[in-house]
Each structure stands twice: as C-alpha cells, then as structure tokens.
Amino acid sequence: MERKVGDLLFLWLLILVLLLHPVWLVLGNMEGDALHSLRSNLNDPNNVLQSWDPTLVNPCTWFHVTCNNDNSVIRVDLGNAALSGQLVPQLGLLKNLQYLELYSNNISGPIPSDLGNLTNLVSLDLYLNSFTGPIPDTLGKLSKLRFLRLNNNSLAGPIPMSLTNISALQVLDLSNNHLSGVVPDNGSFSLFTPISFANNLDLCGPVTGHPCPGSPPFSPPPPFVPPPPDSTPGGNSATGAIAGGVAAGAALLFAAPALAFAWWRRRKPQEFFFDVPAEEDPEVHLGQLKRFSLRELQVATDSFSNKNILGRGGFGKVYKGRLADGSLVAVKRLKEERTPGGELQFQTEVEMISMAVHRNLLRLRGFCMTPTERLLVYPYMANGSVASCLRERPPSQPPLDWPTRKRIALGSARGLSYLHDHCDPKIIHRDVKAANILLDEEFEAVVGDFGLAKLMDYKDTHVTTAVRGTIGHIAPEYLSTGKSSEKTDVFGYGIMLLELITGQRAFDLARLANDDDVMLLDWVKGLLKEKKLEMLVDPDLQNKYVEAEVEQLIQVALLCTQGTPMERPKMSEVVRMLEGDGLAERWDEWLKVEVLRQEVELSPHPNSDWIVDSTENLHAVELSGPR
C-alpha cells in the first residue's frame, strides 16, 4: 500500500516537472527571444537596450520592460529613445502585451501584420517615426485597443475597414501620413475629429470633410452591422484544440493543490504586533497595491531616522528606505497627528495613484495604515527632483544638459495630459512645480506628489476648495477664487518650463537685491522686454543650447501662463506643440489677439510683454490684459 502511494506521488511530481515547469521556461524564453530579436534589428546609439540580456530566463529585469505577477511582458516603453531600424514579426509572440510605446524614434519599414496577434493590447503608439507601407488590416483584431497613434509617419494606402470593428477605440490619430482613398465611415469613425486624418492629401469622405471625386453629396452613414463571426476552417484543427485543452485542463487539475498552497504561502503576510490594537484598516481595499506592515517600513528606514530624510512637505516627511529584498523605496510618512487634512490626502493619493498608470507618473508601490500611522511607499527616484538638479546638486554632479531639459519638458507634459484626458474622472494635480517633477535613473521625467490633486467629474467645470499650492506657481484665478481646473495645472506647468530654462526659483526674494521681480514670470517678461534673451538661460548650460529651441519653449511657457484660463492650451495641445505640431499656428493666433487688444486699448498699460514675429525675432510691445 505504501509503495502504491509512493508511486502515485512520484507520478504526480513527474507531471508537474514535465508539463508545467517547461511551459513557464518556454514562455519566458519565447518573450525574451522576441524582444532580443527586436534589439538585434534596431540601432541603439544611446545604449538604452544595454540591459536586454538574452541569457536570462525572462526579460522582466530589463529596463523599459514591465511584467505582471506571472512574469509575462505587459509593457514595452521605448519612446523618444533615438532608435532606428525596423520592427520584427516576433513582437506578435508577446501575447499578454498591453502597451507598446515606440513613439518619437526613427524606426522605418512596414508595421508588422503580426501585431494583430497582440489581442490584449490597449495602447499602440508608433507616432513620429518613419514607418512606410500600409496599415495592417490585422490591427482590426485588437478588440481591447483604446489608443492607436500612427501619426507623423509615411504610411500609404487605404485605411483598413477592419479598424471600425474596434469598439473600445477612444483615441485615433492617423494624421500626417500618405494615406489615400475613402475613410471608412460606418458610424465608428464619426466619433473622431477631422484632425485625426489631417494632412493625408488623398483621403476623402464625410469624416474628413472632403468629398471624394464623383461621389454623391454627403448623407448620414448607414447603421453599423457587425460582421458575422469567423468560422473555424477544418474539423481537425478544432479537434486538436479541444484535445489540447483537455490535456492542459488535466495537468492543471493535478497541479492545482500545489499551486494553491504555494500561492497561499507567498501571499500570506507575516504577523507583527505593536502597541496598537490592529494594524490594518478593513475599509481600504486597493487591488494589487502591496500592504506593508509598519515593522517592514521601520526596518527599511532605520526607524525613520533623520539621516534618511529625502524631503519635507506640508503633510509630512519622505524617507529613503531599503526593503528586505534590497530594493530602494521612498516612504512618505504623514504627520503623526491624525488631522483631517492628512487623512484626506492619504485617501486621495492612494485612490488616485492606484488608478493613474503612465510611464511619466510616479507609481505607487504600496501603503501602510494603522490607527496611528499613514504611509505611502514609492519607487526611489535615483536622480531626485528637477528642482534639486537645478539648484541643489553637489559640485561633482554635472548640470542638466539642454537635451535632457527638453525631454523633461515633454515627459512631464505627457504625464499631466494623461491625468487630464485619460483618467475618469479626470485628475487635477494642483501643485505642478519643478520640485514635484522627479527623475529616474535615466533622467526620465515622472510627475509625483498627488497629495494636492482633486478628482474631477467631467460634468464639473471647476472645483472649489481651500487654495493649496506653492507661491509663484499658483494661477491667478485659483488664488483669487479658490476655483481650480486643469488650466491651473497648465499655468503651473508653464512656470515649471521657465524654471527649466532659467534655473531660477518661481518666487525668490534674492532677486530684489538686483531690483528684479521676485516672481519668475515677471522677471522673464522684463528681460524679454529689454531683448535680453541670453540672460534668461541658466548659466549652468554654458551656452550649450539651441537658441531657437529656447525661444520655442518660452513661447509654450507664455501660452501656458496667460492670465485667462480659457486662453491657455490644454496639456494635450502642449504635448503636440512640444512634439513640433501646431506651435507656430497657436503662437501666430495669440499674436493677432494681443495686437488687436493693443489697438483697442484707450491708454497704454503700464505692464509690458513680448512677442515673436514670423521670423522669430524678439520684440518688446505694450500689451494689455491680466498678468
């Protein structure tokens, strides 16, 4: 009897070893091989793919690659990495991939039709590259796709009708290509603006506003009838699939007890006891965020030692910590007294950061709640904040160079645009400044500190609260009325741009020593009035910058800091302007409005501003309107 039991146990273990373990190994190697094929096919002048080591079992430790708890690749972030070369069809093997971000490179060649196999894909961003050939018809199989941006390439041919089958699609941008033919219009594409198809000279149809040659006048589109489901050809394939499913199900049935026990042992938290009756708040359930014990964070921060303080804020302190697995974290400890504002901030941060996931937003790793403590755990940002790099860096650390500052400007704009346009309800940060823009190991901008953010329903036009923020960054309408909107973030972002350009603080009493304005915006406008552009630029750059690019960033900053909220651009527009799309037109439009105001003003206004004419020469003029 004992021998039979032993034989059964051996058989069960053999099934686990032969069926399950090789599957995990093969999946890990398969995804790693696919990404290594991509690396081999790309030119990488900045070595951003240096960590992509093909000898590892899976690619989850590589930079720019994100995996889920099952060690499957769900995200590849290689935007703005100066890559060239071509994509490879092996990308279609990343079956769990949700985000493929390859924008702002110089990748050429066709878009592989194998991307249609990525049925879990949520976002496909290939814009600002040099792709050629047609848009693959197979992309229509991506039923979960919400963001498709193929703009600013050299794609040709018709727009596939299959794209209209993607009912989840929220953002579509095919502009600035060489597409031709009739834009499919069965009701789906009518949701998108003509801008989505702009600058494709050979496109026509009701959606574009350009009738096709020889076509009848526009009429309402016919109702959309979904195509019938594809039938599976061949009975042998179906039989094989069923047999395979039965085999996999049997293996999983045998393995389930061991897997469940291993999962329970891994997930079950260790118990710690303190001088409080309970450590967890049963009302907080926040998905996949890790709940840390207070003891874990005490050990990580050396009992919240002063030597580990990274910064101080209105609601508490931030400590550097090292967890038991060796990873570095930043632990934000709210003030010990349980003030209503502190608890509200904790709840706001936890709820919002758990919802907002973007490469340019600070990811919340976990939290801790006890009756006396509220703590948030973030990844440690090795290069600190933009403010510290501009003004508090040690002598041994080189200053931020101009290309890095441009990347920071664009990355932080993308993060804020995501908060405003892709979160439901939208999120207003309410304290955008250089100190809240953090930098990771590669100096990629990450928008942090959502402690002052407000959730905002789309039906609301404003939120009225107590004014919070930092002097010099607060929009005038928010300061005077307490009403914040996404345009208050745009104002703060504009001031942050001026910080990036000048290296100066937004509010600095030290400027009084030179009879200058204490407010950075006024100081900048004063120097522009006197045509002293060179005095604006941070001396740490040592004249290593592109003057035309400085002027463009200043233009964006001034558009963002207009006195009237409605006149400021949206953050999504700011992103496009920084990417080289629409700044000249927006600036010319602003100039015309300002000149008109100047003409109708009965008396000159004591304040001055500056404009740039079509030749980008700086001129000082008297402008009216709020500052």
Side-chain angles (χ1 to χ4, degrees), residues 59-263:
C60 297
T61 59
W62 299 354
F63 287 136
H64 311 291
V65 175
T66 304
C67 295
N68 60 16
N69 292 333
D70 298 323
N71 287 331
S72 293
V73 176
I74 61 172
R75 190 178 190 114
V76 176
D77 285 310
L78 289 171
N80 198 27
L83 300 172
S84 58
Q86 296 189 5
L87 301 187
V88 293
Q90 288 90 331
L91 286 175
L93 299 175
L94 305 176
K95 300 297 185 181
N96 294 297
L97 192 68
Q98 298 176 22
Y99 296 88
L100 182 58
E101 309 287 341
L102 295 171
Y103 55 84
S104 298
N105 287 290
N106 194 30
I107 303 174
S108 57
I111 298 175
S113 60
D114 302 74
L115 296 187
N117 297 328
L118 306 178
T119 53
N120 286 303
L121 205 63
V122 172
S123 178
L124 179 59
D125 281 334
L126 304 180
Y127 59 90
L128 283 170
N129 278 286
S130 301
F131 288 107
T132 55
I135 298 174
D137 185 71
T138 54
L139 296 187
K141 297 189 296 183
L142 305 179
S143 59
K144 297 180 181 179
L145 195 66
R146 288 189 290 158
F147 309 104
L148 178 59
R149 302 181 183 93
L150 305 178
N151 52 292
N152 294 83
N153 281 288
S154 298
L155 298 171
I159 298 176
M161 183 67 183
S162 62
L163 295 185
T164 62
N165 296 333
I166 309 176
S167 59
L169 202 60
Q170 298 176 8
V171 175
L172 172 69
D173 196 343
L174 305 178
S175 61
N176 297 294
N177 280 289
H178 306 307
L179 302 173
S180 59
V182 181
V183 176
D185 185 19
N186 59 3
S188 299
F189 278 14
S190 60
L191 299 175
F192 302 105
T193 65
I195 297 176
S196 304
F197 311 97
N199 295 325
N200 288 280
L201 300 181
D202 295 324
L203 282 181
C204 61
V207 177
T208 66
H210 302 291
C212 297
S215 63
F218 291 150
S219 59
F224 172 58
V225 179
D230 294 335
S231 59
T232 303
N236 292 335
S237 299
T239 304
I242 294 173
V246 170
L252 188 59
L253 180 64
F254 279 102
L259 293 176
F261 178 75
W263 179 87

Side-chain angles (χ1 to χ4, degrees), residues 587-605:
W587 185 249
D588 288 341
E589 179 184 346
W590 181 80
L591 291 180
K592 293 176 183 177
V593 173
E594 293 302 321
V595 170
L596 180 61
R597 287 178 181 172
Q598 186 181 356
E599 291 176 351
V600 301
E601 193 70 25
L602 296 178
S603 60
H605 195 280

